[in-house]
Each structure stands twice: as structure tokens, then as C-alpha cells.
């Protein structure tokens, strides 16, 4: 279950917020948990689009390891393997702050397994630029894949990808 360790803290926060700003803030503090729970209902019903929307909105309101992992699952389901891989890796970083050692270990094991499974399906690309100029940037589908270097392997999503290599002083 998500965020159990912080419930007491959240209750104190809700009370302080209510005193300072009124009932509206009181309702908003629990919105991320409500969205997370609603997302799981949609997920169990096979309604991926609705579930993923709720997970993303929940994450916007409150950063959470388990929500980040569910977002990674959404990306994998959508075929966005690079984004899924990156999301699982972000979850691993977030998990460093999980106070419960057993939960932290279980989440690490889950994310490591998911990353390993994704890695088997994740295409990789190497762009070789002979004598790369200073400031070279490689974009993968509009997102920086490499900056300042060329020739390193980076992940790409299956299917068509737009790769753009640019550098200051060179024509596109």
C-alpha cells in the first residue's frame, strides 16, 4: 500500500493547511491518494488509458515510488519502452528515501526485475560522428539523447524514430 509511513505527517499537514487556508486545501491533500486508488480500479478493469491518466495526475500532486512504477507500467503498455525504462530508473532513485527497509528492498527487487525485462526488448542505437565538434547534441524524437559526446549507445523506442544531430556553427 502506498504512503502508509507518511499518513501521520499528512494528517498534521492537512490540519495546518486547513487552519491557514480553509477547507479547500483540506480536500486537496488527499486527492493524490484518491486518484491513486481510482487508477487501480481502472487498471483492474483493464482500462489502461483512464488508469494511466489518474496515475500521472496523482504523481503531479505527490511524488511516490509506487506511483512512478505504475507510470512505468503505463508507458510499457503504450509501447513507450524508453519512457518506461526511464520511469523505473526514476522510481529506483525515489526509493532511496523509502524509510521501511523491507519495503525499500521489495521495491528495488521489483524495479530491477522490470528494468531487466524491459532491457531485453529495448532497442539501442549508436550514432557515430567522426571528429564530433564541441557542443554536439543528439536528439531522439525531440528529446536530448546525448549532449557533448557522440558514439555512445542510447535506447530508442521500437519503430520509427527521428534522430537529429546538431552542433553550434553547423547547418542543419
Amino acid at each position: 500500500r502506498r504512503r502508509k509511513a507518511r499518513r501521520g505527517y499528512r494528517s498534521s499537514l492537512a490540519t495546518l493547511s486547513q487552519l491557514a487556508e480553509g477547507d479547500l486545501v483540506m480536500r486537496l491533500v488527499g486527492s493524490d491518494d484518491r486518484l491513486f486508488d481510482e487508477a487501480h480500479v481502472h487498471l483492474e478493469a483493464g482500462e489502461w488509458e483512464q488508469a494511466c491518466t489518474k496515475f500521472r495526475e496523482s504523481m503531479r500532486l505527490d511524488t511516490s515510488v509506487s506511483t512512478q512504477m505504475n507510470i512505468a507500467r503505463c508507458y510499457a503498455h503504450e509501447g513507450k519502452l524508453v519512457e518506461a525504462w526511464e520511469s523505473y530508473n526514476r522510481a529506483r532513485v525515489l526509493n532511496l528515501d523509502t524509510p521501511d527497509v523491507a519495503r525499500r528492498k521489495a521495491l528495488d527487487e521489483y524495479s530491477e526485475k522490470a528494468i531487466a525485462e524491459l532491457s531485453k526488448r529495448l532497442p539501442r542505437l549508436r550514432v557515430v560522428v567522426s571528429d564530433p565538434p564541441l557542443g554536439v547534441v543528439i536528439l531522439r524524437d525531440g528529446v536530448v539523447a546525448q549532449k557533448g559526446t557522440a558514439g555512445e549507445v542510447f535506447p530508442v523506442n521500437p519503430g520509427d524514430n527521428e534522430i537529429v544531430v546538431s552542433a553550434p556553427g553547423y547547418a542543419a
Side-chain angles (χ1 to χ4, degrees):
R1 200 68 209 163
R2 158 189 148 133
R3 288 194 273 287
K4 281 190 177 180
R6 294 191 287 179
R7 290 258 186 235
Y9 170 76
R10 298 186 123 251
S11 296
S12 299
L13 179 62
T15 302
L16 291 174
S17 297
Q18 181 185 20
L19 292 173
E21 299 179 27
D23 290 338
L24 178 62
V25 173
M26 180 71 157
R27 286 195 303 275
L28 291 177
V29 170
S31 294
D32 56 323
D33 288 327
R34 179 183 49 77
L35 287 165
F36 184 87
D37 294 340
E38 289 174 5
H40 269 285
V41 170
H42 286 297
L43 198 57
E44 289 169 9
E47 299 166 344
W48 280 88
E49 186 176 339
Q50 295 91 331
C52 295
T53 298
K54 300 267 184 190
F55 282 130
R56 288 181 180 111
E57 183 63 16
S58 175
M59 188 69 169
R60 188 184 69 75
L61 294 173
D62 184 33
T63 303
S64 160
V65 177
S66 54
T67 305
Q68 186 69 58
M69 287 185 179
N70 280 296
I71 290 170
R73 289 177 59 203
C74 288
Y75 281 131
H77 179 78
E78 294 165 356
K80 297 176 180 177
L81 302 186
V82 172
E83 292 82 353
W85 182 77
E86 290 170 343
S87 289
Y88 278 121
N89 279 296
R90 273 194 296 278
R92 291 193 69 212
V93 171
L94 290 172
N95 195 36
L96 295 173
D97 292 331
T98 300
D100 182 287
V101 176
R103 178 162 170 74
R104 185 172 54 242
K105 183 179 179 194
L107 290 170
D108 260 346
E109 288 172 1
Y110 179 88
S111 61
E112 284 176 22
K113 182 179 175 185
I115 289 168
E117 288 299 314
L118 272 174
S119 292
K120 294 175 189 174
R121 301 171 33 214
L122 191 62
R124 288 175 173 69
L125 177 69
R126 179 188 319 262
V127 176
V128 178
V129 179
S130 58
D131 196 26
L134 282 173
V136 67
V137 175
I138 301 172
L139 300 177
R140 174 200 65 230
D141 299 320
V143 177
V144 174
Q146 290 182 8
K147 189 173 184 176
T149 63
E152 296 175 24
V153 175
F154 58 90
V156 295
N157 282 315
D160 294 337
N161 293 270
E162 180 184 40
I163 306 299
V164 176
V165 180
S166 65
Y170 288 82

